[in-house]
């Protein structure tokens, strides 16, 4: 191997279980080059990262690394999998049940970043550089997806590896945060740090990336200097055909449709002395589909958790759900059966070796995992929704071995199997390439058109908005701290 070569793949074949991921993969990364790997869901981008870090072994072919490049210590892969591990660890050590205040903040952002490093000037500089100073004392489970990603980047920069792999770094960030992070990555690309980006969208590739490897379905479409590869990639167009929706499942409850679906009056949430939501007033009536927006850390996920029953701070407040005051005697399961939820947090909670069909069927029971065999009626409902998503061929695969984007589609199927009255979509397009994003938007509209489900849609991107949205709830800064709600009609879409 040449002395200027960082890593070299030669005729590599790799698979998860028996399913091929990469086939005859040849690629060389040399000193002085900064690469991005471009590709859609299931293209094989993450497989390349796992091969580089030696967490996946090739079945055939050779991988040669620079002599002083140790995969375990010198290569760091920042991904949703790492976020999943941190959150799973935090949940296992949650001691809320033993505390008087019934709340365990868990591992803080400060602790995650420091990771045995002293709290010195370098730490302060990197926290400021990554824009996480305001969340340092917040628990890692209680920050947004974008904030947790910046937290992991700050930790990596405090103890920089020789090679840093950034897996879809811009997903889940608002437009301002995306710009800030892109500026930071552009700075890092000019440093001595070797960076590899895994990217789904061509417009997310920072200017200082000079080489691109374009993968689709485990094969190289193009590889080389940035401009030549982009010229080929932008010409590609593909669509995914959306199947008919399965018949709605029977609902075993009756709702008074003379009262609003959801109503919040003067709602406040704080963690310690830090206000998050401040005097939020909002009503969702029958026939309304609402877009919830606001910057990272504004409390969007906190607001949704108040509704879906996952946040104890809803008790004692003026929150009416489906015509009933929250905390007036309803069980958590009576509440949850009316909601379907798609969120990164819920997706990260699905760990272990659970098959895709079982994850989808678990939505019928609002459980994480399925505690009986998926068969009969339950299996048919799950398979009907997997077919709509184009995932029926991977129904028996383990959930933690499919791509993040495929997991996201499976989570939407899981949310819909019980025909929820309200479907909460918290950044549903995170982890999806363009064809799958278009599928999610079209499917959301089709669900709304059926008339028996109401949509709460959280997104940072105006270009990723279903046509059905007719109400906007924007979280804006409150004069006394935290964020309050501004409710407006959503502008009609001209292409509707």
């Amino acid at each position: 191997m040449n002395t200027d070569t960082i890593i070299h793949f030669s005729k590599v074949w790799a698979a998860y279980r028996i399913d091929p991921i990469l086939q005859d993969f040849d690629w060389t990364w040399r000193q002085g080059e900064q690469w991005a790997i471009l590709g859609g869901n299931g293209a094989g981008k993450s497989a390349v990262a796992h091969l580089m870090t030696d967490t996946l072994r090739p079945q055939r072919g050779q991988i040669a690394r620079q002599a002083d490049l140790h995969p375990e210590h010198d290569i760091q892969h920042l991904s949703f999998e790492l976020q999943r591990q941190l959150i799973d660890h935090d949940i296992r050590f949650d001691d809320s049940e033993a505390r008087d205040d019934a709340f365990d903040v868990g591992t803080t952002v400060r602790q995650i970043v420091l990771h045995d490093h002293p709290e010195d000037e370098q730490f302060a500089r990197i926290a400021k550089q990554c824009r996480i100073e305001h969340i340092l004392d917040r628990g890692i489970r209680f920050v947004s997806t974008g904030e947790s990603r910046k937290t992991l980047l700050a930790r990596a920069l405090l103890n920089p590896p020789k090679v840093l792999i950034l897996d879809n770094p811009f997903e889940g960030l608002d437009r301002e945060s995306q710009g800030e992070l892109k500026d930071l990555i552009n700075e890092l690309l000019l440093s001595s740090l070797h960076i590899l980006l895994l990217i789904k969208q061509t417009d997310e590739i920072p200017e200082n990336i000079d080489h691109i490897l374009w993968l689709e379905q485990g094969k190289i479409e193009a590889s080389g200097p940035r401009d030549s590869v982009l010229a080929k990639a932008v010409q590609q167009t593909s669509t995914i055909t959306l199947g008919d929706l399965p018949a709605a499942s029977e609902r075993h409850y009756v709702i008074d449709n003379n009262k609003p679906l959801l109503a919040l009056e003067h709602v406040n949430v704080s963690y310690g002395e830090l206000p998050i939501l401040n005097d939020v007033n909002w009503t969702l009536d029958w026939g309304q589909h609402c877009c919830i927006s606001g910057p990272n850390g504004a409390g969007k996920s906190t607001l949704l958790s108040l509704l879906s029953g996952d946040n104890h701070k809803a008790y004692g407040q003026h929150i009416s759900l489906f015509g009933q005051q929250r905390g007036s005697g309803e069980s958590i399961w009576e509440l949850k059966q009316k909601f379907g939820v798609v969120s990164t947090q819920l997706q990260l909670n699905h760990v272990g070796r659970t098959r895709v069909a079982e994850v989808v069927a678990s939505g019928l029971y609002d459980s994480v995992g399925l505690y009986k065999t998926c068969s009969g009626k339950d299996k048919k409902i799950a398979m009907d929704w997997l077919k709509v998503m184009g995932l029926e061929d991977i129904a028996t695969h383990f959930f933690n071995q499919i791509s993040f984007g495929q997991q996201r589609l499976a989570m939407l199927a899981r949310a819909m199997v019980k025909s929820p009255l309200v479907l909460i979509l918290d950044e549903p397009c995170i982890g999806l390439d363009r064809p799958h994003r278009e599928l999610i938007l079209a499917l959301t509209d089709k669900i709304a058109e059926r008339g028996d489900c109401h949509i709460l849609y959280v997104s940072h991107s105006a270009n990723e908005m279903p046509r059905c949205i007719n109400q906007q709830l924007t979280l804006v800064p409150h004069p006394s701290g935290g964020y309050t709600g501004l409710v407006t009609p959503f502008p009609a879409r001209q292409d509707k």
Side-chain angles (χ1 to χ4, degrees):
M1 189 173 75
N2 294 333
T3 56
D4 70 338
T5 299
I6 298 171
I7 193 163
H8 174 67
F9 290 77
S10 177
K11 302 295 181 184
V12 168
W13 284 68
Y16 293 132
R17 297 175 62 226
I18 61 173
D19 302 305
I21 301 298
L22 296 174
Q23 306 170 46
D24 273 333
F25 180 70
D26 285 291
W27 176 55
T28 302
W29 184 3
R30 295 183 175 86
Q31 296 281 355
E33 299 173 344
Q34 297 285 29
W35 283 81
I37 302 182
L38 174 69
N41 293 113
K45 303 185 300 298
S46 294
V48 175
H50 293 151
L51 288 163
M52 290 177 65
T53 57
D54 209 25
T55 54
L56 176 67
R57 300 291 178 85
Q59 294 172 307
R60 296 208 307 259
Q62 299 293 325
I63 302 174
R65 299 176 183 85
Q66 210 171 42
D68 62 346
L69 188 65
H70 192 283
E72 183 178 354
H73 304 297
D74 299 328
I75 305 175
Q76 189 165 352
H77 179 198
L78 299 191
S79 66
F80 278 103
E81 292 178 24
L82 184 56
Q83 288 177 249
R84 185 199 302 273
Q85 293 168 12
L86 290 173
I87 290 171
D88 182 45
H89 178 274
D90 223 38
I91 290 173
R92 284 190 287 116
F93 290 95
D94 189 329
D95 69 347
S96 294
E97 293 184 0
R99 294 171 62 100
D100 293 337
D101 59 5
F103 181 70
D104 177 18
V105 70
T107 309
T108 64
V109 169
R110 186 187 305 275
Q111 293 168 326
I112 293 289
V113 175
L114 287 172
H115 195 55
D116 298 328
H117 189 283
E119 188 167 342
D120 53 15
E121 291 183 5
Q122 183 189 14
F123 165 76
R125 176 178 56 79
I126 289 175
K128 182 177 181 180
Q129 190 178 29
C130 293
R131 306 291 203 278
I132 58 170
E133 304 145 288
H134 63 295
I135 60 168
L136 287 174
D137 295 317
R138 203 178 302 175
I140 189 64
R141 282 177 290 154
F142 306 103
V143 301
S144 70
T145 302
E147 289 169 333
S148 64
R149 188 174 294 109
K150 290 191 286 186
T151 297
L152 293 177
L153 178 57
R155 183 171 77 168
L157 294 179
L158 197 58
N159 295 280
K162 294 178 181 177
V163 173
L164 181 61
I165 305 172
L166 301 179
D167 201 331
N168 295 303
F170 304 110
E171 289 182 341
L173 299 181
D174 56 48
R175 190 175 300 277
E176 181 180 355
S177 296
Q178 284 183 15
E180 292 172 351
L181 183 56
K182 187 174 284 189
D183 289 342
L184 175 56
I185 291 175
N186 266 319
E187 290 179 23
L188 297 174
L189 287 166
L190 296 176
S191 71
S192 59
L193 182 61
H194 300 297
I195 294 178
L196 176 66
L197 294 185
L198 309 184
I199 294 288
K200 291 187 177 73
Q201 310 296 328
T202 56
D203 59 359
E204 292 180 342
I205 300 175
E207 292 81 355
N208 291 332
I209 287 288
D210 49 38
H211 284 71
I212 296 174
L213 173 66
W214 175 21
L215 286 179
E216 289 299 343
Q217 297 182 337
K219 296 182 178 180
I220 297 176
E221 295 286 332
S223 178
R226 173 196 182 100
D227 291 344
S228 63
V229 176
L230 284 181
K232 297 175 183 178
V234 296
Q235 295 174 4
Q236 183 197 48
T237 57
S238 61
T239 58
I240 297 175
T241 302
L242 179 63
D244 293 332
L245 298 186
S249 300
E250 183 181 1
R251 291 172 176 160
H252 300 287
Y253 53 84
V254 177
I255 302 296
D256 184 356
N257 58 12
N258 292 315
K259 297 180 179 180
L261 281 165
L262 313 172
L264 284 70
E265 296 181 28
H266 307 296
V267 167
N268 302 282
V269 174
S270 61
Y271 293 117
E273 296 182 357
L274 179 67
I276 305 297
L277 298 176
N278 195 337
D279 195 28
V280 174
N281 298 274
W282 169 51
T283 299
L284 184 79
D285 281 316
W286 296 79
Q288 288 187 315
H289 306 285
C290 183
C291 169
I292 301 174
S293 62
N296 287 110
K300 300 184 295 297
S301 295
T302 298
L303 174 65
L304 296 179
S305 69
L306 293 175
L307 303 176
S308 62
D310 293 322
N311 194 324
H312 70 278
K313 291 179 180 290
Y315 294 110
Q317 304 214 51
H318 294 289
I319 298 177
S320 174
L321 306 177
F322 312 108
Q324 186 173 359
Q325 177 70 26
R326 181 77 172 94
S328 59
E330 82 286 4
S331 74
I332 188 67
W333 304 114
E334 288 173 332
L335 181 61
K336 282 184 173 293
Q337 70 179 332
K338 302 176 181 66
F339 285 103
V341 181
V342 177
S343 70
T344 300
Q345 184 68 61
L346 184 59
Q347 183 174 336
L348 291 172
N349 287 343
H350 278 269
V351 296
R353 296 171 64 82
T354 306
R355 299 187 187 277
V356 172
E358 294 169 346
V359 169
V360 174
S362 72
L364 294 165
Y365 305 97
D366 294 303
S367 61
V368 177
L370 196 64
Y371 301 98
K372 67 175 186 175
T373 303
C374 182
S375 60
K377 182 180 177 182
D378 290 359
K379 185 174 182 180
K380 183 181 185 308
I381 294 172
M383 291 303 299
D384 285 347
W385 276 101
L386 283 172
K387 186 175 181 179
V388 171
M389 306 296 174
L391 300 179
E392 66 269 31
D393 292 341
I394 63 169
T396 59
H397 291 204
F398 290 114
F399 186 74
N400 61 355
Q401 292 181 339
I402 64 176
S403 73
F404 185 88
Q406 290 170 324
Q407 290 180 6
R408 177 66 76 178
L409 293 173
M411 293 303 292
L412 178 54
R414 178 188 181 276
M416 287 304 301
V417 290
K418 60 181 174 181
S419 296
L421 190 57
V422 174
L423 175 61
I424 295 176
L425 299 175
D426 190 353
E427 295 284 1
C429 292
I430 282 181
L432 301 182
D433 54 23
R434 188 178 66 180
H436 285 88
R437 291 178 191 224
E438 292 174 354
L439 183 148
I440 288 287
L441 297 177
L443 183 57
T444 301
D445 281 325
K446 206 163 189 177
I447 291 169
E449 287 169 7
R450 195 158 70 178
D452 60 351
C453 184
H454 299 75
I455 310 297
L456 299 184
Y457 191 92
V458 177
S459 178
H460 291 301
S461 176
N463 296 324
E464 293 175 1
M465 197 66 60
R467 296 187 181 93
C468 64
I469 298 299
N470 52 23
Q471 185 193 57
Q472 176 96 35
L473 172 63
T474 306
L475 295 179
V476 298
H478 191 280
S480 60
Y483 288 79
T484 190
L486 175 64
V487 182
T488 58
F490 194 82
R493 288 276 294 270
Q494 298 301 313
D495 55 348
K496 189 170 181 177

